[in-house]
Amino acid sequence: MKYIIFEDFAGEATPIIFPERVSFLEMREQIPYTKVLSAGIVSLDKGQIRCSGQSKELKMSASSNDSKTIAEYLNSQ
């Protein structure tokens, strides 16, 4: 799966996870948040969230905090 982490209107990091067949640019165009913080590929490895890679289209890559951000977001929902 792909992901983009946006800064929402409240200044919070908000991840959006979407299928590989959707391009980063297509997803970016659908989301109203103005700032992209990071983007890449997300997967589960032995129960752990792993983030890697980059979006050449958005000129963004995975950040070392992305796994934690996504896990915290999922746990809060």
Side-chain angles (χ1 to χ4, degrees):
M1 303 283 289
K2 293 179 180 176
Y3 74 93
I4 302 173
I5 298 181
F6 294 92
E7 183 178 285
D8 69 13
F9 299 125
E12 299 293 322
T14 303
I16 305 290
I17 298 172
F18 54 99
E20 297 267 346
R21 68 180 177 272
V22 177
S23 77
F24 285 105
L25 192 55
E26 287 173 320
M27 183 56 68
R28 173 67 189 108
E29 291 171 348
Q30 299 301 312
I31 306 300
Y33 303 136
T34 58
K35 188 173 183 181
V36 174
L37 302 175
S38 60
I41 303 298
V42 62
S43 61
L44 278 177
D45 180 22
K46 299 177 185 170
Q48 297 293 315
I49 295 172
R50 304 278 184 221
C51 296
S52 61
Q54 63 182 347
S55 165
K56 292 179 182 178
E57 301 160 306
L58 301 179
K59 298 180 180 148
M60 299 298 288
S61 60
S63 165
S64 60
N65 294 328
D66 290 353
S67 297
K68 180 180 175 186
T69 299
I70 292 171
E72 287 174 354
Y73 189 82
L74 291 172
N75 287 328
S76 72
Q77 298 302 306

